[in-house]
Amino acid sequence: MGDVLDLLHHTVTSPWVYLVIITVTAVDAFFPAVPGETVVITAGVFAAGGQPNLTLVIVTAALGALIGDHVSYAIGRGGGAHRVARLPADSRRRASSEWARRAVDRRGGMILTTARYVPGGRTAVTLTMGAVRYPARSFLLYDALACGTWGTYCGLLGYFGGLAFEHNPVSALLAGVGLSLAVTGLFEAVRWGRRRARNRAARR
C-alpha cells in the first residue's frame, strides 16, 4: 500500500496533473464510465498538503467539464437534431422530443446545473439540449456556472477531507468519494420522488 500511495503522490503532485484533470473531466462529460469526480477529489486531497495547487485543480476541473459538455452538446446537435426532424409527427418519440424541447426552454438552466452532479444524467441532458437545439449562448452561460460550481465542490470536498485525515490520505479519499456518491444518490432520490409524484397526480 505504501508503494501505491507513493506512486499516487508522485503522479498527483506532478505539473502534468492539471492536464490529466482537464482530459479526464472532459471525457467524463460524454463518457460517464470515466471517473471524473474521483480524479478531482483525489487531487483535492493532496492539495491539502500543498501540492497540487487547489485553485488550479478547481479551474482545470471546471475547464475540462466545460469542454466535455460542449462536445456532448455538439454530438447531440449534429446527430440528434437530424434524427428528431425525421421522426413521424404523430410518433411517441417525436412527442417525447417535443416535450424535452419545451422543458429545456422553460427550465434549461436549472436542469443543466442540477444534472452536472449526476454522472449519467449530465450526459443525457447535454445530448438532449444539443438535439433540441437549445441556444448555444445560453448553454455556454449556464454550463459555465454548472461546471464552476461542480469543480469547486469536488476540489473542496477532497481538500477538506485531506485536512480532516491529514495523516491518512486513503481515508480522506474514501470519505470524499463516499460523500460525493451520497450527494449523487440524494439528487437521484429527489428526482425519482418528484417523478413518482407527477405520475401519481397524472393517474388521478
Side-chain angles (χ1 to χ4, degrees), residues 60-203:
T60 51
L63 178 61
L66 187 69
I67 292 170
D69 283 350
H70 277 73
V71 170
S72 181
Y73 174 86
I75 292 171
R77 192 177 180 96
H82 296 305
R83 285 195 293 271
V84 170
R86 289 198 299 267
L87 291 173
D90 58 349
S91 69
R92 180 174 298 180
R93 290 184 63 190
R94 180 62 174 266
S96 297
S97 297
E98 292 299 328
W99 175 87
R101 185 194 303 274
R102 291 192 298 271
V104 297
D105 281 344
R106 292 194 303 268
R107 303 186 300 275
M110 184 185 69
I111 292 171
L112 181 60
T113 303
T114 303
R116 168 103 299 264
Y117 293 85
V118 183
R122 59 178 171 247
T123 305
V125 167
T126 51
L127 283 170
T128 299
M129 294 180 90
V132 302
R133 294 190 175 276
Y134 187 77
R137 184 176 297 180
S138 297
F139 182 84
L140 173 60
L141 176 65
Y142 287 118
D143 196 46
L145 174 63
C147 292
T149 58
W150 175 83
T152 302
Y153 155 74
C154 290
L156 291 180
L157 198 60
Y159 180 78
F160 287 117
L163 291 179
F165 299 93
E166 185 176 358
H167 302 295
N168 195 337
V170 174
S171 296
L173 181 56
L174 290 176
V177 173
L179 186 55
S180 176
L181 291 174
V183 171
T184 299
L186 178 61
F187 272 110
E188 284 293 286
V190 170
R191 190 171 65 168
W192 176 81
R194 292 181 64 182
R195 185 169 61 245
R196 185 177 181 185
R198 283 196 302 268
N199 291 338
R200 188 179 299 167
R203 285 196 298 268

